[in-house]
């Protein structure tokens, strides 16, 4: 019986490996032998989760032909990976990826740092801030005061609590987009919302157009759902969408869905203009594509900038634009409350499908968000959150400019992330070596499709003060090790966290 559960084709593996070499090597870098470079490249792909564990690799002859190298080189690389525990083989069954005994499996999302690692590792992996107290405690206390009437019911509200749906609808109306409660469904975070939308609109094998780069966890969610991702390159810097590219992709690929972040894009921080929003809605309508707009960063305006109208303002009925919002980024990641705004018939379909998923969102958390939105506590908490993120951003930017002057980035006016070109270094290798020197950072390929953005890393505004300074010092140390080749050792990190 075969020990592998999926397979990687020779052309696909060659493409992924080639993406690691898109950026030139820095001066003084020691070039390893060809077989060693190939083994290290495959090992990195496994550690990052870009090749799943238990994936069958192509035969030596097939990979050699795809990469235009000798079969001896591939055989030596496979043998090195077997010796290090990253490959297992059996005659007649082929070779498949593995991880050495005692190492945790690589996760492909950007999960929070495990509690046992706090104190020894600076976490730049998860773009989330601590709760804005005392507002979390006050919100939960307010929720408990409102709970008794709901405790006498079954507690299942597939569309969400009526009181919260009403408040969210009123907030859209106040933003200039008239909305009824029937156009709102409360979900378990934005991830729950987008998962439900993908299952309703995009079955396995359907195309979904996505920004390139885009939010890593959403990309992985769509892959797991069996979607075929169609990347659309972002404009340079913070210029947002390239409408000509979007029109071409929507016209030629005819994707069923398109997923975008218009406000303080994750990871680049770009803010789409009103003209871009109107143009994209028109292009999606012409192509018959449903536009899914992620507004989880909308509240996190850090500088004095005039916010464009919401994307759904150009499709107020919600027939072609589905909007997703959340309390998790703006307020606290532990507050897993999200929502969908769409046409009433879309909401009814999402609610009906929910009976076979999670049935509904926890009542107490919904009451807590309702309390925040109805008492003014939300505005107070968001003001606190903005001030903290702004201070963290400014400190991190200054530290990176000081310690890593060769890195290139544009400072966004909002959001929680900085998208940095790592001075010609591999983001994947920086992430791996960073683990060894005590800083955890996600590499660029996590935010792309098919190995794009190898030369980038994402830096969130989650630490400030002396901790941000130390994070930059450790990143600089990791960069030196990668640049000189000293970080290309064959041992695995003591603790691997994806």
């Amino acid at each position: 019986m075969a020990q592998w559960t999926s397979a990687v084709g020779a052309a696909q593996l060659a493409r992924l490996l080639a993406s690691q070499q898109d950026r030139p090597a820095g001066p003084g870098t020691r070039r390893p032998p060809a077989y060693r470079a190939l083994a290290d490249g495959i090992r990195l792909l496994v550690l990052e989760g870009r090749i799943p564990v238990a994936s069958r690799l192509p035969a030596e002859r097939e990979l050699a032909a795809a990469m235009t190298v000798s079969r001896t080189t591939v055989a030596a690389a496979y043998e090195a990976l077997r010796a290090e525990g990253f490959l297992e083989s059996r005659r007649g069954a082929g070779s498949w990826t593995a991880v050495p005994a005692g190492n945790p499996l690589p996760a492909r999302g950007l999960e929070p740092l495990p509690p046992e690692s706090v104190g020894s590792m600076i976490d730049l992996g998860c773009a989330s801030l601590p709760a804005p107290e005392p507002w979390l405690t006050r919100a939960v206390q307010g929720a408990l005061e409102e709970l008794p009437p709901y405790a006498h019911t079954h507690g299942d509200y597939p569309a969400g609590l009526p009181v919260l749906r009403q408040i969210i609808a009123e907030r859209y109306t106040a933003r200039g987009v008239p909305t009824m409660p029937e156009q709102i469904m409360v979900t378990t975070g934005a991830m729950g919302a987008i998962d439900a939308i993908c299952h309703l609109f995009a079955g396995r094998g359907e195309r979904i157009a996505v920004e390139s780069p885009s939010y890593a966890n959403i990309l992985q969610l769509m892959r797991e759902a069996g979607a075929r991702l169609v990347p659309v390159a972002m404009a340079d810097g913070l210029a947002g969408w390239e409408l000509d590219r979007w029109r071409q992709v929507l016209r030629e690929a005819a994707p069923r869905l398109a997923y975008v972040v218009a406000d303080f894009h994750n990871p680049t921080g770009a803010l789409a203009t009103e003209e871009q929003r109107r143009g994209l809605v028109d292009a999606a309508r012409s192509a018959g594509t449903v536009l899914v707009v992620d507004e989880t960063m909308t509240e996190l305006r850090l500088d004095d900038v005039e916010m464009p109208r919401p994307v759904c303002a150009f499709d107020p009925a919600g027939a072609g634009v589905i909007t997703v919002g959340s309390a998790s980024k703006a307020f606290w990641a532990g507050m897993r409350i999200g929502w969908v705004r769409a046409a009433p018939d879309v909401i009814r379909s999402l609610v009906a499908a929910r009976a076979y998923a999670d049935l509904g969102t926890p009542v107490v958390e919904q009451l807590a968000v309702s309390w925040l939105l109805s008492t003014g506590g939300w505005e107070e908490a968001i003001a606190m959150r903005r001030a903290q993120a702004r201070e963290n951003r400014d400190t991190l930017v200054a530290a990176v400019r000081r310690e890593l002057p060769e890195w290139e980035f544009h400072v966004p006016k909002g959001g929680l992330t900085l998208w940095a070109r790592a001075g010609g270094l591999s983001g994947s290798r920086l992430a791996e070596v960073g683990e060894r020197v005590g800083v955890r950072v996600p590499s660029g390929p996590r935010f792309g499709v098919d190995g794009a953005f190898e030369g980038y890393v994402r830096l969130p505004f989650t630490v400030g003060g002396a901790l941000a300074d130390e994070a930059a010092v450790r990143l600089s140390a990791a960069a030196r090790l990668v640049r000189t080749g000293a970080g290309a050792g064959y041992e695995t990190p003591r603790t691997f966290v994806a």
Side-chain angles (χ1 to χ4, degrees):
M1 180 178 176
Q3 301 298 306
W4 47 273
T5 57
S6 62
V8 181
Q12 179 187 9
L13 180 54
R15 187 169 63 251
L16 289 171
L17 290 164
S19 73
Q20 298 176 336
Q21 302 168 7
D22 285 344
R23 304 291 297 170
T29 301
R30 298 199 304 268
R31 294 189 178 277
Y35 86 90
R36 186 66 254 174
L38 176 56
D40 285 348
I42 294 174
R43 177 171 58 88
L44 274 175
L45 292 173
V46 173
L47 287 175
E48 283 222 309
R50 291 159 65 195
I51 294 179
V53 174
S55 292
R56 186 181 185 275
L57 295 186
E60 295 170 1
R61 190 185 303 278
E62 294 174 357
L63 185 58
M67 298 190 65
T68 320
V69 298
S70 71
R71 184 178 177 182
T72 302
T73 296
V74 178
Y78 278 15
E79 181 58 36
L81 289 169
R82 277 190 287 269
E84 296 157 16
F86 284 94
L87 197 67
E88 295 181 10
S89 304
R90 194 175 68 190
R91 185 177 297 276
S95 299
W96 56 92
T97 57
V99 292
N103 279 39
L105 293 177
R108 286 173 286 180
L110 302 177
E111 292 81 6
L113 191 67
E116 62 269 19
S117 298
V118 173
S120 62
M121 185 78 68
I122 299 177
D123 186 12
L124 297 181
C126 189
S128 298
L129 291 164
E133 288 288 28
W135 296 106
L136 174 61
T137 298
R138 292 180 183 178
V140 173
Q141 290 171 342
L144 293 177
E145 291 176 3
E146 298 293 330
L147 182 61
Y150 296 93
H152 295 292
T153 73
H154 48 63
D156 288 335
Y157 295 86
L161 295 184
V163 62
L164 183 53
R165 296 175 74 195
Q166 177 71 42
I167 292 172
I168 293 172
E170 290 172 354
R171 290 178 70 85
Y172 276 107
T173 300
R175 293 172 65 192
V177 190
T179 302
M180 304 178 295
E182 292 79 9
Q183 291 179 262
I184 301 296
M185 171 176 139
V186 181
T187 62
T188 307
M191 292 287 288
I194 294 172
D195 182 58
I197 293 166
C198 288
H199 279 88
L200 180 64
F201 283 92
R204 186 166 292 275
E206 291 275 7
R207 294 184 181 92
I208 300 179
V210 295
E211 297 153 323
S212 183
S214 186
Y215 179 35
N217 285 339
I218 293 297
L219 295 181
Q220 190 57 37
L221 181 155
M222 293 174 175
R223 292 186 187 102
E224 296 286 350
R228 297 163 62 189
L229 301 184
V230 182
V232 185
M234 295 284 287
D236 291 338
L238 300 175
W241 303 323
E242 285 277 13
L243 284 182
D244 287 343
R245 293 174 181 170
W246 271 102
R247 292 189 184 100
Q248 180 181 2
V249 167
L250 293 176
R251 182 176 62 251
E252 296 178 357
R256 186 71 181 92
L257 290 179
Y259 168 77
V260 296
V261 183
D263 300 326
F264 310 122
H265 174 259
N266 185 355
T268 68
L271 177 65
T273 66
E274 190 155 310
E275 180 183 358
Q276 289 172 330
R277 295 166 193 239
R278 185 192 303 275
L280 186 56
V281 172
D282 290 344
R285 184 184 296 117
S286 297
T289 298
V290 176
L291 196 59
V292 180
V293 181
D294 187 334
E295 288 193 335
T296 54
M297 295 287 185
T298 299
E299 301 271 12
L300 295 171
R301 183 181 70 254
L302 305 185
D303 294 334
D304 186 14
V305 58
E306 183 177 352
M307 294 294 294
R309 284 182 290 173
V311 177
C312 58
F314 304 101
D315 178 50
V321 175
I322 299 177
T323 305
V324 173
S326 174
S328 298
K329 290 295 186 185
F331 185 75
W332 183 47
M335 188 67 75
R336 304 303 305 161
I337 299 295
W339 52 85
V340 178
R341 181 199 180 275
D345 62 319
V346 173
I347 295 298
R348 286 193 293 269
S349 297
L350 288 170
V351 171
R354 193 173 197 178
Y356 307 101
D358 62 358
L359 294 178
T361 303
V363 170
V364 174
E365 284 86 341
Q366 290 187 73
L367 289 173
V369 173
S370 176
W371 183 92
L372 286 165
L373 293 174
S374 61
T375 62
W378 180 267
E379 284 71 24
E380 294 282 350
I382 296 305
M384 181 184 300
R385 171 68 78 236
R386 287 172 177 161
Q388 183 182 14
R390 185 185 305 113
E391 182 178 351
N392 285 359
R393 178 198 63 182
D394 295 346
T395 303
L396 182 65
V397 164
V400 172
R401 282 176 172 164
R402 181 178 63 250
E403 300 294 336
L404 295 151
E406 68 278 12
W407 285 23
E408 304 168 37
F409 53 84
H410 297 269
V411 182
K413 296 182 179 297
L416 287 173
T417 58
L418 191 71
W419 184 239
R421 189 192 297 268
L425 302 179
S426 161
S428 298
R429 296 184 188 279
L430 279 168
E432 183 193 13
V433 176
E435 294 274 343
R436 306 182 196 181
V437 299
V439 61
R440 177 176 179 256
V441 59
S443 66
R446 291 183 176 275
F447 304 89
V449 177
D450 287 338
F453 308 110
E454 182 60 50
Y456 289 79
V457 293
R458 190 194 72 171
L459 307 176
F461 313 142
T462 51
V463 297
L467 201 57
D469 291 334
E470 178 61 22
V473 169
R474 295 185 187 187
L475 280 173
S476 180
R480 285 194 300 273
L481 290 171
V482 172
R483 189 178 298 112
T484 62
Y490 307 153
E491 77 278 7
T492 60
R494 182 177 55 84
T495 301
F496 178 80
V497 183

